[in-house]
Amino acid sequence: MGLTNRQYDMLRYNYDTRRRQARFGADRRTDEIYDKIPEIKAIDDRIRTDSIRRARLAISGDKSALEGLDESNAALTLQKEALLESHGFPKDYMQPRYECPVCQDTGYVNGSPCDCYKRALTELVYNDSNLAGILKEQNFGNFNYDLFSDSPETIDKTTDMTPRRNIETVVAQARHFIEVFDEQFNNLLIYGNTGVGKTFLCSCIAKELLDTSHSVVYYTAYKFFRLLENDKFHSADIEEDVPGPDYLIDCDLLILDDLGTELTNSYIGSALYSVLNERALKKHSTVISTNLSLHDLNTRYSERVFSRLNKDYIFLKITGEDIRCL
Ligand SMILES: [Zn+2]
């Protein structure tokens, strides 16, 4: 699991807030009860003073001072509960009401993450990925191989396979990328004509990794470079919840969809290189999809971008017709 610092801080903040609110609510209800049922305040005062008195004795060497304390407190608690019920209140009325009683809103049970924490984490990484919603449709479970032709006349010259045979190979490689994601630093460059299913495959990869609580960030190239430019030129204006460049470097997987559709300027090339380079240095994987041929990639971006791709990326070509029209 790879949380960015920002995600971790946000999650901790949410849990701290929940816990504080639960305790604040309990304090408020306690004040109300002390007001309405003074006998309960008297019992609580007795529990407190008795505990302090016994603790003082224990500190000064009286080994028997704490004997029977638990039993005596338990008996007084029962009295309190009976009083609450006789006044028409539930017996746990003065207790904090945690959203998750299992971990009492700490997120942990015996040092391990609580189920509620894992759910909150998955929700957070989904929302941060820019993919919430899309992934219900676009995942391996909905991958339709029948959309890819298997007839011999559709064999592609570069892959020497039918689109169907080819996509099976590509999906197997994508699945392998996911399987070894935590152990191996790999990157994918998925290329092919418009509409052959590159974005769909990116979504499938994103979903698998999000479901195992990895931080995944998805951007179309157009939005990605606009974000970088905004951050560079108007850093004060950037929307607060848009992940800034640190996030782009630190997330477990960055998906850059449709590279080549962005507007070109001198800044784009160097920004692309610096993100790919920083991520490679930190061994954080990147998946890029593009309509550009390898030749066009080479001429459009700088030599150092192309050599970075060549060195670190597994090239996956998807062949076939525009399946969006079928
Ligand atoms: Zn919990």
Side-chain angles (χ1 to χ4, degrees):
M1 167 188 323
L3 273 187
T4 62
N5 283 342
R6 191 183 67 86
Q7 287 174 315
Y8 183 78
D9 289 347
M10 194 184 288
L11 210 51
R12 286 317 325 160
Y13 174 78
N14 289 345
Y15 271 92
D16 289 347
T17 308
R18 265 189 232 170
R19 217 164 46 244
R20 247 195 331 271
Q21 279 171 347
R23 286 176 186 159
F24 178 70
D27 287 348
R28 235 187 25 227
R29 290 189 298 279
T30 300
D31 287 345
E32 179 199 346
I33 291 298
Y34 284 176
D35 211 34
K36 289 181 178 157
I37 319 172
E39 299 98 303
I40 287 188
K41 183 171 186 318
I43 293 174
D44 273 349
D45 287 344
R46 208 174 128 197
I47 292 175
R48 232 179 337 261
T49 46
D50 191 39
S51 301
I52 293 170
R53 185 182 57 80
R54 286 173 184 250
R56 282 203 183 117
L57 287 173
I59 290 167
S60 57
D62 180 350
K63 291 198 174 88
S64 65
L66 298 176
E67 272 172 27
L69 177 63
D70 289 347
E71 290 79 355
S72 138
N73 283 350
L76 290 169
T77 302
L78 280 178
Q79 276 186 37
K80 267 171 64 178
E81 289 175 358
L83 274 167
L84 279 168
E85 284 183 320
S86 71
H87 284 79
F89 293 98
K91 62 181 180 182
D92 61 354
Y93 188 71
M94 293 160 72
Q95 298 301 316
R97 290 175 191 160
Y98 296 110
E99 275 182 46
C100 176
V102 179
C103 67
Q104 302 200 333
D105 294 348
T106 59
Y108 284 85
V109 184
N110 300 327
S112 301
C114 181
D115 284 345
C116 74
Y117 188 83
K118 292 181 203 160
R119 273 197 307 277
L121 179 59
T122 308
E123 236 165 69
L124 183 66
V125 290
Y126 258 75
N127 290 336
D128 276 351
S129 70
N130 300 328
L131 284 165
I134 301 173
L135 301 181
K136 286 195 193 87
E137 308 287 324
Q138 303 194 348
N139 54 66
F140 280 123
N142 288 336
F143 205 99
N144 186 357
Y145 291 99
D146 292 339
L147 294 173
F148 296 83
S149 166
D150 203 20
S151 77
E153 61 267 27
T154 57
I155 289 178
D156 178 81
K157 280 189 217 113
T158 48
T159 60
D160 200 26
M161 284 186 265
T162 62
R164 168 65 183 259
R165 182 75 199 90
N166 176 67
I167 195 68
E168 285 169 359
T169 314
V170 166
V171 167
Q173 284 177 283
R175 282 194 177 276
H176 179 73
F177 170 81
I178 294 158
E179 264 163 44
V180 299
F181 189 82
D182 290 327
E183 291 94 51
Q184 286 179 22
F185 168 60
N186 289 317
N187 305 281
L188 302 178
L189 183 102
I190 302 164
Y191 70 108
N193 295 334
T194 308
V196 290
K198 298 186 299 294
T199 299
F200 197 103
L201 184 61
C202 286
S203 300
C204 295
I205 295 168
K207 179 166 171 33
E208 295 293 313
L209 290 171
L210 283 167
D211 286 349
T212 43
S213 299
H214 294 89
S215 52
V216 178
V217 173
Y218 169 94
Y219 275 108
T220 60
Y222 179 78
K223 283 194 176 161
F224 175 79
F225 289 112
R226 219 177 47 182
L227 170 74
L228 288 185
E229 280 184 313
N230 278 344
D231 193 57
K232 178 171 183 266
F233 299 118
H234 317 283
S235 52
D237 299 334
I238 202 158
E239 287 173 51
E240 212 176 283
D241 58 352
V242 173
D246 280 354
Y247 192 80
L248 299 178
I249 304 300
D250 292 337
C251 61
D252 295 333
L253 176 67
L254 172 68
I255 298 180
L256 198 49
D257 198 14
D258 253 349
L259 184 70
T261 53
E262 72 281 355
L263 306 167
T264 319
N265 63 37
S266 61
Y267 175 67
I268 296 285
S270 60
L272 178 61
Y273 178 75
S274 86
V275 170
L276 298 187
N277 195 46
E278 285 284 313
R279 290 189 60 79
L281 289 175
K282 293 196 168 187
K283 301 261 181 275
H284 290 164
S285 299
T286 306
V287 169
I288 296 176
S289 93
T290 183
N291 293 339
L292 298 176
S293 66
L294 298 187
H295 174 266
D296 290 343
L297 268 178
N298 195 5
T299 50
R300 185 175 174 124
Y301 301 100
S302 65
E303 184 56 41
R304 55 186 191 154
V305 168
F306 194 71
S307 70
R308 174 56 80 192
L309 295 176
N310 239 336
K311 183 166 156 268
D312 290 340
Y313 283 67
I314 300 164
F315 287 31
L316 299 178
K317 184 179 184 185
I318 304 186
T319 60
E321 299 287 306
D322 187 341
I323 56 177
R324 296 171 309 178
C325 309
L326 299 176

